[in-house]
Amino acid sequence: MAPGPEVSGIDIYLRIKPVQRASTRLAFDTTENKIKFVIPRNEAAGLVTNRRGHFEFRFNGILTAEAKQDEVFERVARPAVMGAMSGYNGTIFAYGQTGSGKTFTITGGPERYVDRGIIPRSISAIFSEISKRADQQFTVHISYLEIYNNEGYDLLDAEREIKAMEDLQQVHLGEADDGTVSYRNLSMYRANNEEEALNLLFLGDTNRTISETPMNMASSRSHCIFTIHVEGRKVGEDLVRRSKLNLVDLAGYQRVPKKGVDRTTHREAKYINLSLHYLKQVIIARQEKAMGMNRPHIPYRNSMMTMALKDSLGGNCRTTMVATVNSAQDQLDESISTCRFAQRVAMVRNTVLLNEELDPSLMIRRLKQEVRELKEEIRLLKGEEEERGPLTPDEITRLQGTVGSHGDFHNDGARVQLPPYRPFIQQHMIRSDLDELLYDLGTWAAAVSPAATGAEAMVPKASSQDVALVASGSSSGSDGANRGGSGISPDHPVSGFGAHLLSYAEAAGWEATANWIRTGVSVMQSGPQVEDVQCGTQVSSGPWETAGYEPSAEG
Ligand SMILES: Nc1ncnc2c1ncn2[C@@H]1O[C@H](COP(=O)(O)OP(=O)(O)OP(=O)(O)O)[C@@H](O)[C@H]1O
């Protein structure tokens, strides 16, 4: 049984960007996971407030300027990745001032392999984990959403490269009855391995809207959500676990100089700042709700970004925030503001569920398989033969040899004539055990009329009630040319019951050549029951007899 809902707070981590001259007003306590800002009163004016000179914030973890990307991944992201593999939704989002290291944390630096960020490392971890779990089956899909000027765009859209932004199809958000968010026009691509997933990341990053700002040479002008959709189940089980891992790079708060900035940059900054303002409102509302205050309405709908993060901020998700700060002196007020925001985020309560459900299609598939196995068991209990594939060339040669040795067997296309049989059930087919078949063929062939001169051994048609042996031997015949489909060779004309049989085989869609017919059944019966013979391993009900055949009295 799935565990019940678990109420969890949002974990907050602080990451410090390395700078050449870090401010001395800032101190860390990595044992207590605290950061302290000590600002003399005379300096505080113009910074955050001039009433306080001492600020202290606690986090779940502090990643100092020395922390490498692998450490960041292990501490911040691995738990979320493992959760996603077990059916729990996860979100990791980076929040901080522009240029403070959000993109570096989430995606990574472009120059060195060791600088790859949480997204590529999560992809590697997921596929590495999949390869270790042999008892489970997983499928992974990727989507990549960009929110630019409060509009949604698909970063994996193939049109992206050739169309202007305003001509692109927009992604729309919808809300299901249970409050979960869904997307329209957002593509999801299956990634079968790490390389395919990384290619999608690369494609999306190439499409991302970036421009230069006074703070950052390559500033993200949009919020981006890279989502890894994981579906997993234990082999042989119908329970499916589906989870989403959202890796979010939010655009940073923009300080826009009044002069020297074009209208586009102004507009972008306005939308970024507004959406971050709405994010704060959502967080404050959730925090107050968590503190027991009456907040029936949480203003998610004010912006697309808050809607897209609805499940992550107060929904069914294990969420982690990385607050990125720049420790330079002139950035202190922004850093304090980021830390303060993180404290509020930590108060948000999510209700986390294991996303597990019975998959009806898997159940049907499994039940069908069970039916197949039971039928197989019944067939074995009845002593019917196991199915086998087509005869190998070697087997055909042996077959031909045996038939030939018992009949007057020539290779010129004439037929071996077998005596007519009364209706009977021939339980041995070319798929049955070869030795038994050869024995039967031999017995049959021994009864062949001396006039028989053929390349085919067939039970001739005595009446429409007859049943046939369905192997023939052609010493000249290579079955290759005719294998598959009806494949009856015009070079080896078949007449009498053989023709009847072959045309029946053809109508039944069986594989047939001048040399052999493979029905998939081990029984053929004439008369009304012929319709009952199925192409498959089973035969429908009827007065079937068991192994062997009995030559008719006339035979
Ligand atoms: N921890 C770090 N170690 C080394 N370099 C870093 C680190 N954090 C950030 N940088 C570098 O600082 C620059 C700005 O970082 P980044 O682009 O990640 O900031 P950002 O917060 O995403 O900014 P924006 O909001 O403008 O997109 C980049 O050149 C990046 O490589």
Side-chain angles (χ1 to χ4, degrees):
M1 214 177 70
E6 141 205 330
V7 176
S8 99
I10 294 180
D11 283 348
I12 51 168
Y13 285 83
L14 181 70
R15 184 170 198 192
I16 323 290
K17 177 183 167 178
V19 286
Q20 274 188 343
R21 288 187 54 197
S23 168
T24 52
R25 308 284 178 229
L26 204 143
F28 309 106
D29 179 344
T30 47
T31 326
E32 292 284 312
N33 292 323
K34 279 185 192 163
I35 181 171
K36 286 183 197 160
F37 295 85
V38 182
I39 300 168
R41 278 173 197 277
N42 58 344
E43 260 182 41
L47 286 173
V48 175
T49 162
N50 57 4
R51 275 175 286 148
R52 276 180 66 191
H54 180 261
F55 302 88
E56 192 173 294
F57 304 101
R58 187 191 284 267
F59 288 81
N60 294 89
I62 299 222
L63 301 151
T64 60
E66 289 73 42
K68 299 282 175 265
Q69 297 284 64
D70 54 349
E71 182 191 339
V72 174
F73 173 76
E74 291 304 327
R75 290 181 64 188
V76 173
R78 189 172 290 279
V81 167
M82 299 313 281
M85 297 293 292
S86 309
Y88 291 97
N89 293 336
T91 293
I92 300 170
F93 73 98
Y95 176 97
Q97 199 212 343
T98 185
S100 58
K102 297 180 297 296
T103 305
F104 188 81
T105 300
I106 297 293
T107 309
E111 273 148 34
R112 300 183 311 160
Y113 185 68
V114 287
D115 285 344
R116 68 201 192 285
I118 285 175
I119 300 180
R121 286 171 192 269
S122 299
I123 290 172
S124 301
I126 283 173
F127 284 101
S128 143
E129 201 57 35
I130 289 175
S131 69
K132 284 185 211 152
R133 301 191 187 186
D135 60 330
Q136 291 176 56
Q137 288 174 334
F138 287 94
T139 48
V140 174
H141 287 84
I142 304 286
S143 60
Y144 206 173
L145 171 72
E146 174 174 49
I147 300 171
Y148 175 74
N149 290 352
N150 205 35
E151 310 280 12
Y153 298 94
D154 183 356
L155 280 173
L156 304 180
D157 184 352
E159 305 269 84
R160 184 90 189 202
E161 279 176 56
I162 48 169
K163 282 190 176 172
M165 198 97 177
E166 51 275 18
D167 298 329
L168 288 171
Q169 195 174 41
Q170 286 184 10
V171 175
H172 298 285
L173 287 183
E175 216 176 341
D177 290 342
D178 63 357
T180 53
V181 175
S182 60
Y183 295 95
R184 192 151 46 86
N185 302 333
L186 182 66
S187 52
M188 255 208 321
Y189 288 93
R190 179 158 179 178
N192 294 302
N193 51 46
E194 183 179 343
E195 192 188 346
E196 286 179 13
L198 288 175
N199 283 342
L200 291 168
L201 170 64
F202 180 73
L203 173 70
D205 281 346
T206 312
N207 287 333
R208 219 179 147 172
T209 311
I210 282 169
S211 77
E212 206 173 302
T213 67
M215 287 292 295
N216 193 356
M217 293 286 282
S219 178
S220 317
R221 316 306 292 156
S222 55
H223 308 298
C224 289
I225 305 181
F226 184 88
T227 306
I228 308 176
H229 308 253
V230 183
E231 186 179 309
R233 70 179 176 98
K234 281 226 167 84
V235 175
E237 283 188 9
D238 308 325
L239 275 179
V240 182
R241 291 176 175 180
R242 294 191 181 94
S243 59
K244 286 188 287 183
L245 180 62
N246 299 310
L247 305 170
V248 186
D249 183 7
L250 296 178
Y253 178 75
Q254 311 283 311
R255 268 198 239 159
V256 191
K258 289 205 173 60
K259 286 189 187 155
V261 176
D262 61 39
R263 278 184 59 194
T264 309
T265 310
H266 253 292
R267 192 159 177 259
E268 288 170 351
K270 185 187 91 185
Y271 275 110
I272 292 170
N273 292 346
L274 199 58
S275 61
L276 292 170
H277 167 72
Y278 289 135
L279 176 65
K280 271 188 188 157
Q281 285 193 344
V282 165
I283 297 296
I284 290 169
R286 292 255 35 139
Q287 181 205 8
E288 290 177 356
K289 195 174 174 134
M291 289 163 69
M293 290 165 73
N294 185 23
R295 285 303 300 247
H297 176 68
I298 310 289
Y300 291 110
R301 288 172 175 278
N302 282 344
S303 92
M304 188 169 193
M305 184 260 275
T306 48
M307 265 308 276
L309 292 179
K310 183 169 180 265
D311 296 340
S312 311
L313 305 171
N316 170 21
C317 189
R318 286 180 177 160
T319 302
T320 303
M321 169 183 167
V322 185
T324 53
V325 296
N326 181 327
S327 54
Q329 175 74 19
D330 62 344
Q331 303 294 312
L332 287 186
D333 54 351
E334 294 297 348
S335 301
I336 292 171
S337 160
T338 298
C339 292
R340 196 178 269 161
F341 177 70
Q343 305 303 300
R344 285 187 186 274
V345 170
M347 302 284 288
V348 173
R349 290 288 170 268
N350 287 348
T351 307
V352 183
L353 292 164
L354 176 64
N355 302 301
E356 186 177 69
E357 60 182 19
L358 268 181
D359 186 321
S361 65
L362 282 178
M363 203 153 78
I364 291 167
R365 219 183 300 160
R366 182 180 56 77
L367 290 174
K368 279 187 173 168
Q369 175 65 21
E370 264 177 41
V371 169
R372 263 197 301 274
E373 283 168 12
L374 286 171
K375 282 183 172 176
E376 182 71 6
E377 224 169 274
I378 293 169
R379 207 172 57 76
L380 285 173
L381 286 172
K382 281 183 169 174
E384 292 172 9
E385 301 291 343
E386 201 182 331
E387 245 195 73
R388 48 158 293 160
L391 295 178
T392 63
D394 191 41
E395 289 167 340
I396 290 168
T397 310
R398 283 174 61 203
L399 191 65
Q400 289 168 349
T402 308
V403 173
S405 70
H406 287 283
D408 192 8
F409 198 71
H410 299 292
N411 64 1
D412 58 1
R415 283 172 292 284
V416 172
Q417 294 293 321
L418 296 175
Y421 285 87
R422 68 172 166 74
F424 68 93
I425 294 165
Q426 161 59 28
Q427 191 79 24
H428 296 293
M429 268 284 301
I430 55 174
R431 285 181 174 206
S432 65
D433 176 68
L434 186 64
D435 288 336
E436 233 178 305
L437 174 66
L438 292 176
Y439 176 78
D440 286 343
L441 275 173
T443 316
W444 248 358
V448 163
S449 123
T453 55
E456 282 128 25
M458 289 284 175
V459 179
K461 178 181 178 183
S463 77
S464 62
Q465 300 280 299
D466 272 339
V467 174
L469 166 68
V470 290
S472 67
S474 165
S475 55
S476 64
S478 138
D479 69 331
N482 292 317
R483 193 183 284 269
S486 65
I488 297 164
S489 166
D491 301 326
H492 295 83
V494 179
S495 64
F497 188 75
H500 172 76
L501 173 67
L502 288 177
S503 63
Y504 180 76
E506 197 167 20
W510 295 339
E511 246 181 303
T513 76
N515 297 330
W516 49 265
I517 298 171
R518 180 149 59 85
T519 66
V521 297
S522 56
V523 175
M524 294 186 64
Q525 186 177 13
S526 62
Q529 272 95 359
V530 165
E531 264 67 57
D532 289 336
V533 176
Q534 295 169 352
C535 188
T537 55
Q538 300 300 314
V539 179
S540 67
S541 63
W544 308 110
E545 291 175 22
T546 50
Y549 67 89
E550 286 175 12
S552 68
E554 312 100 89

